[in-house]
Amino acid sequence: MGTMEDGPQLATYRDLLIRYMTHESELVIEESELLSDFLQEHGVSPADLVTMHLEVMKQTRTLDRATLRSMEFLINMMAGYGREYWEHQELKHKQKQLDKEIDVAAEVQKALIEGKVPHCDFADIGAISEPAKKMSGDYYRIVNDGKRLAVTIADIVGKGIPAAMCMSMIKYAMDSIPENKQGAPSSILANLNRVVARNADSSMFVTMFYGVYDPVTHVFSNSSAGHEPGFYYSAQQDCFFDLEARGMSLGLASGSRYKEYARVIEPGDMIFLLTDGVTEIRKDRDFIEREHIIKLIRRSMHLPAARIVRRVLYELKRMQHFELTDDFTFIAMKF
Amino acid sequence: MNLSIERENQRINTNRVVVSGEIDVFTAPEFKKNLLPLTELNGGALILDLNKTNYMDSTAIGVIVAALKSSVKHHCKFSVVGLTPRIERLFEITGLTELIARTQVGGGDTNE
């Protein structure tokens, strides 16, 4: 708390106030803003400030009794605001601590998401994931065990910390499912559905796409649990198709079964996977249609996969004035 | 988001909830607070009218899922009407359409 002796704060305040009262008002505004910031930073409360004001007035003017009394009344009134002010300061402090904790949690989460894209002889792969806030509810994982390439992309309902916590659960569930290495997409999703249905809150659910590519047979097989369809690009037809797959989101109902889809991938074909943070993007009032995303992909599909994903992300962010409203994940695979 | 609850005249325990505007991560808690108690009226019916809803995100779907599970538990007939094409697509993709259809057949195959 500032004391009301004739300290530097009071002197500065007196100087500014006198200049303000003697017609320099325009020039003083900027300085007074600086002083106000300074005083706030140094814990001068609203009541302190009015006391300071009264002090200066007493020193420089002869105040009549009524004015004097009114100022004292104002100081009393300000005391209440002062309590608010201290509470606000305390909250700000707590907020800072919380922010720091979230920063740490976000770091832990970043380490959890296997962001590394494995090296692949038979495909060029790029992946990018960006949270709307610090914590992400998106998850992706790309594993190449030498025999098969497995790719997972998932979107946990909601944003922020609850979604991030659910994401960690998904990650560990995936790691612990024994068939994970050899399993068919349909059985992996059925297993994960059991985990989510058992452990998540009733309004929580997860959409997931799981695909496996066999470089010997060139077959890409996949299942989807309520996930936004990806895109399949056929080089021969020079045409994009929805990577259509139907299935219930994880956690909606116990015992959900998943259909498996398969297609032969030719050299030059591409697969793009995304979360609905991509398709739910709104450009001003209108939604960005899937056709538009295809256009964006077409514009950069001649580039290496890692650059395609970065470019598409940049373009989509630009449309939203560089402020993501939802977590965003995008994977490109060029065969 | 604007939410109104109308009690349908013909049957005492039938409520119609009309939501206009947007249901997203910010308005979903209020949506949930209003919707869920109406699913707990044993033997009643609840109609969720989304005709005037112009946007919903997956958080809103989550609330509808919770309402669906709760209504199965309380033998409350839950239906959703007035889906705009965009919302219908969201329902289709996430599997919510199928889940609603299943509970209306009386299967009640939700995880609660």
Side-chain angles (χ1 to χ4, degrees):
Chain A
M1 275 245 218
T3 54
M4 282 311 108
E5 286 140 36
D6 204 338
Q9 294 177 359
L10 185 67
T12 314
Y13 187 81
R14 181 173 53 214
D15 174 50
L16 278 179
L17 182 61
I18 291 171
R19 278 168 60 201
Y20 186 85
M21 289 190 296
T22 51
H23 315 296
E24 276 186 60
S25 40
E26 292 300 314
L27 300 166
V28 177
I29 291 293
E30 206 173 305
E31 280 178 72
S32 65
E33 273 169 16
L34 288 174
L35 180 64
S36 168
D37 287 348
F38 178 82
L39 293 178
Q40 276 180 53
E41 271 168 34
H42 286 77
V44 175
S45 75
D48 291 343
L49 194 65
V50 181
T51 307
M52 208 187 256
H53 186 83
L54 176 60
E55 205 54 41
V56 173
M57 293 305 284
K58 277 203 255 178
Q59 287 173 9
T60 56
R61 293 280 189 285
T62 319
L63 298 179
D64 63 80
R65 202 179 123 75
T67 310
L68 204 61
R69 296 283 287 168
S70 82
M71 297 285 273
E72 280 161 13
F73 182 75
L74 183 59
I75 291 169
N76 281 332
M77 290 298 290
M78 288 320 261
Y81 286 87
R83 278 193 291 277
E84 282 282 313
Y85 173 81
W86 292 119
E87 271 168 30
H88 176 77
Q89 293 292 355
E90 214 173 280
L91 279 177
K92 255 168 64 179
H93 180 69
K94 276 189 191 152
Q95 177 79 48
K96 255 188 210 159
Q97 272 182 321
L98 217 57
D99 275 352
K100 262 186 216 154
E101 279 174 33
I102 292 173
D103 283 344
V104 174
E107 282 305 311
V108 172
Q109 198 200 18
K110 240 184 245 164
L112 281 180
I113 305 176
E114 283 150 76
K116 263 187 244 152
V117 174
H119 172 74
C120 238
D121 299 326
F122 48 84
D124 171 25
I125 306 165
I128 203 159
S129 186
E130 202 165 290
K133 295 181 185 168
K134 283 177 184 168
M135 309 281 282
S136 177
D138 281 2
Y139 173 71
Y140 76 93
R141 170 176 141 129
I142 304 162
V143 182
N144 176 18
D145 67 1
K147 288 185 190 133
R148 308 178 333 151
L149 173 72
V151 51
T152 315
I153 186 166
D155 185 352
I156 289 106
V157 62
K159 303 177 182 73
I161 297 172
M165 290 176 76
C166 187
M167 191 225 87
S168 307
M169 179 176 85
I170 297 285
K171 183 212 147 48
Y172 284 109
M174 287 207 76
D175 289 350
S176 64
I177 289 174
E179 311 88 302
N180 211 1
K181 281 193 172 154
Q182 304 295 319
S186 54
S187 72
I188 283 176
L189 290 185
N191 268 318
L192 282 171
N193 179 58
R194 268 196 290 279
V195 174
V196 180
R198 220 182 292 140
N199 296 306
D201 157 68
S202 68
S203 59
M204 193 70 127
F205 69 91
V206 178
T207 74
M208 181 182 280
F209 177 97
Y210 189 93
V212 170
Y213 177 72
D214 184 330
V216 177
T217 59
H218 304 288
V219 171
F220 184 81
S221 47
N222 67 270
S223 292
S224 169
H227 198 79
E228 176 78 30
F231 299 105
Y232 162 69
Y233 171 77
S234 158
Q236 200 198 351
Q237 297 176 64
D238 185 29
C239 194
F240 280 86
F241 299 93
D242 281 353
L243 205 53
E244 202 64 59
R246 289 282 153 126
M248 272 219 201
S249 298
L250 306 178
L252 283 195
S254 55
S256 292
R257 294 186 176 281
Y258 296 91
K259 219 178 134 179
E260 210 162 289
Y261 302 77
R263 66 177 74 226
V264 176
I265 303 289
E266 307 288 349
D269 287 358
M270 301 179 204
I271 286 174
F272 301 93
L273 304 174
L274 60 163
T275 53
D276 70 2
V278 183
T279 49
E280 287 294 299
I281 282 173
R282 282 182 288 179
K283 186 190 178 196
D284 299 321
R285 292 309 295 170
D286 287 330
F287 285 93
I288 291 170
E289 299 296 335
R290 286 170 65 85
E291 285 72 40
H292 191 85
I293 296 168
I294 291 177
K295 243 187 245 168
L296 291 181
I297 296 173
R298 265 201 190 276
R299 239 183 265 161
S300 50
M301 60 196 251
H302 58 283
L303 298 168
R307 287 190 59 195
I308 299 177
V309 293
R310 280 206 302 270
R311 259 218 194 171
V312 170
L313 170 67
Y314 175 82
E315 286 297 326
L316 290 172
K317 272 172 87 175
R318 198 165 60 93
M319 281 176 202
Q320 294 181 91
H321 312 291
F322 294 99
E323 214 169 296
L324 285 181
T325 51
D326 196 0
D327 304 329
F328 173 105
T329 301
F330 189 58
I331 298 174
M333 294 184 278
K334 298 173 81 169
F335 293 93
Chain B
M1 182 192 76
N2 228 317
L3 185 143
S4 75
I5 300 165
E6 295 161 17
R7 183 148 283 194
E8 302 252 302
N9 288 331
Q10 58 268 46
R11 274 170 53 196
I12 290 170
N13 258 344
T14 301
N15 290 293
R16 176 184 286 263
V17 175
V18 184
V19 192
S20 56
E22 310 196 341
I23 319 172
D24 58 16
V25 71
F26 302 107
T27 54
E30 200 200 330
F31 177 50
K32 189 172 186 177
K33 204 178 85 194
N34 281 287
L35 196 66
L36 249 59
L38 301 174
T39 62
E40 291 164 9
L41 303 169
N42 258 306
L46 173 63
I47 303 159
L48 176 63
D49 188 340
L50 298 176
N51 197 27
K52 292 175 186 160
T53 311
N54 40 39
Y55 173 74
M56 64 163 58
D57 69 2
S58 50
T59 328
I61 299 271
V63 175
I64 295 173
V65 170
L68 199 58
K69 288 176 182 172
S70 165
S71 60
V72 168
K73 203 162 124 192
H74 294 96
H75 308 287
C76 174
K77 267 193 186 156
F78 181 67
S79 52
V80 187
V81 298
L83 299 182
T84 62
R86 185 167 282 278
I87 292 174
E88 191 166 10
R89 179 175 179 273
L90 197 59
F91 272 48
E92 281 284 335
I93 289 175
T94 53
L96 194 57
T97 309
E98 194 189 330
L99 190 68
I100 292 172
R102 263 199 230 172
T103 56
Q104 276 168 351
V105 169
D109 182 29
T110 58
N111 56 35
E112 263 178 284

